[in-house]
């Protein structure tokens, strides 16, 4: 069985899967962390590998950037391939002043400036994480010594924004980080009864000047310094060992 965007045959994608944006990151994860990894899809460079992580069958797949791309792949993975546990490992800009490089935000719920759910509901749908996955990730993060923040994130269709975008309001209301895929990810999982968790590594600080314009700042490292490899291993552990 294949879909319009995925050539994998039925059964070749695991029920537990980690989603990343960059195809090279999916390849890196497969080569360094999965045993007996097999490439099961390469259409549009949406590389998907299936192998074993700490004795558990897990897939990792690249899904590109933005809500539309995420919605396509997350829908097909849940609807057509039977994925039951999905963990997104991405990167993000953080609003909190004390954040450092590759601190991890576990997205409890997603606010949005996107219109992907408009006209579907008789109201406003608030997509959120699976509580069990969130607790599992938080526990593993503590064991690994990774600094985590748990709370709301904001999904934006636009990456580059001017003063018409009220960034400061999100920060004032406790939003932790800004990214682009969370609403689509959680919505697809909810529609098909799958469990999902988005975790994002903070790679830049989002600040707002006196005129309301966003700007970005470099962040310091914690000691010991964290990298994308820590984020990846946290995502794999969560996907593989969640009950």
């Amino acid at each position: 069985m294949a879909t319009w965007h995925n050539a994998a045959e039925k059964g070749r994608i695991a029920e537990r899967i980690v989603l990343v944006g960059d195809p090279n990151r999916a390849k890196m994860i497969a080569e360094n962390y999965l045993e007996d990894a097999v490439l099961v899809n390469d259409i549009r460079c949406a590389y998907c590998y299936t192998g074993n992580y700490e004795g558990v069958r897990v897939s990792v797949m690249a899904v590109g950037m933005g809500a539309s791309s995420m919605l396509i792949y997350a829908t097909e993975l849940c609807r057509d391939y039977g994925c039951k546990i999905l963990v997104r490992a991405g990167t993000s800009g953080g609003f909190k002043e004390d954040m450092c490089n590759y601190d991890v935000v576990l997205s409890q719920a997603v606010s949005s400036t996107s219109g992907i759910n408009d006209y579907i509901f008789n109201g406003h749908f608030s997509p959120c994480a699976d509580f069990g996955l969130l607790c599992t990730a938080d526990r593993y993060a503590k064991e690994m010594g990774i600094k985590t923040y748990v709370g709301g994130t904001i999904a934006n269709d636009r990456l580059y924004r001017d003063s018409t975008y009220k960034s400061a309001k999100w920060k004032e209301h406790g939003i932790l980080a800004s990214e682009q895929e969370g609403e689509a990810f959680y919505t697809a999982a909810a529609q098909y009864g799958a469990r999902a968790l988005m975790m994002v590594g903070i790679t830049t600080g989002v600040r707002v000047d006196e005129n309301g314009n966003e700007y970005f700042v470099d962040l310091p490292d914690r000691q010991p310094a964290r990298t994308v490899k820590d984020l990846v291993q946290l995502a794999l552990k969560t996907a593989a060992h969640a009950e």
Side-chain angles (χ1 to χ4, degrees), residues 70-87:
M70 171 60 81
L71 190 59
I72 288 170
Y73 289 108
T75 295
E76 293 182 356
L77 289 168
C78 295
R79 183 192 66 193
D80 302 316
Y81 290 95
C83 293
K84 301 299 184 186
I85 292 177
L86 300 92
V87 178

Side-chain angles (χ1 to χ4, degrees), residues 98-100 102-105 141 145-149 222 226:
D98 63 341
M99 287 176 166
C100 294
Y102 280 101
D103 288 350
V104 173
V105 170
I146 297 173
K147 172 66 175 177
T148 58
Y149 298 81
R222 290 199 184 274
R226 296 297 180 178

Side-chain angles (χ1 to χ4, degrees), residues 93-144:
F95 286 118
K96 291 184 71 67
E97 305 288 336
D98 63 341
M99 287 176 166
C100 294
N101 279 317
Y102 280 101
D103 288 350
V104 173
V105 170
L106 304 177
S107 177
Q108 190 171 25
V110 178
S111 299
S112 180
T113 63
S114 173
I116 65 164
N117 284 338
D118 290 355
Y119 313 114
I120 297 176
F121 300 95
N122 185 27
H124 297 285
F125 180 61
S126 299
C128 61
D130 176 81
F131 183 70
L133 289 178
L134 193 154
C135 291
T136 298
D138 193 51
R139 173 169 57 84
Y140 277 124
K142 286 181 170 62
E143 292 177 3
M144 297 168 68

Side-chain angles (χ1 to χ4, degrees), residues 2 29 37 51 55 74-75 80 96-98 102 132 149 153 159-160 165 177 179 187 203 212 223-224 231 243:
I29 294 170
T75 295
D80 302 316
K96 291 184 71 67
E97 305 288 336
D98 63 341
Y102 280 101
Y149 298 81
T153 55
L159 176 62
Y160 301 112
Y165 179 81
E179 52 83 48
T187 296
T203 56
Q223 296 301 322
L231 173 70
E243 295 181 357

Side-chain angles (χ1 to χ4, degrees), residues 154-228:
I154 172 66
N156 294 291
D157 280 343
R158 286 184 175 270
L159 176 62
Y160 301 112
R161 304 178 287 265
D162 60 21
S163 59
T164 61
Y165 179 81
K166 307 301 182 185
S167 178
K169 286 296 181 184
W170 296 115
K171 181 177 180 181
E172 289 171 7
H173 287 77
I175 294 297
L176 297 173
S178 172
E179 52 83 48
Q180 293 191 279
E181 293 83 19
E183 183 183 29
F185 178 54
Y186 282 160
T187 296
Q191 183 176 359
Y192 294 100
R195 301 168 62 195
L197 174 68
M198 179 174 71
M199 57 178 68
V200 290
I202 300 302
T203 56
T204 191
V206 182
R207 305 291 183 261
V208 184
D209 66 21
E210 63 276 9
N211 297 315
N213 292 303
E214 283 186 334
Y215 65 98
F216 304 114
V217 298
D218 293 332
L219 297 176
D221 290 332
R222 290 199 184 274
Q223 296 301 322
R226 296 297 180 178
T227 70
V228 68

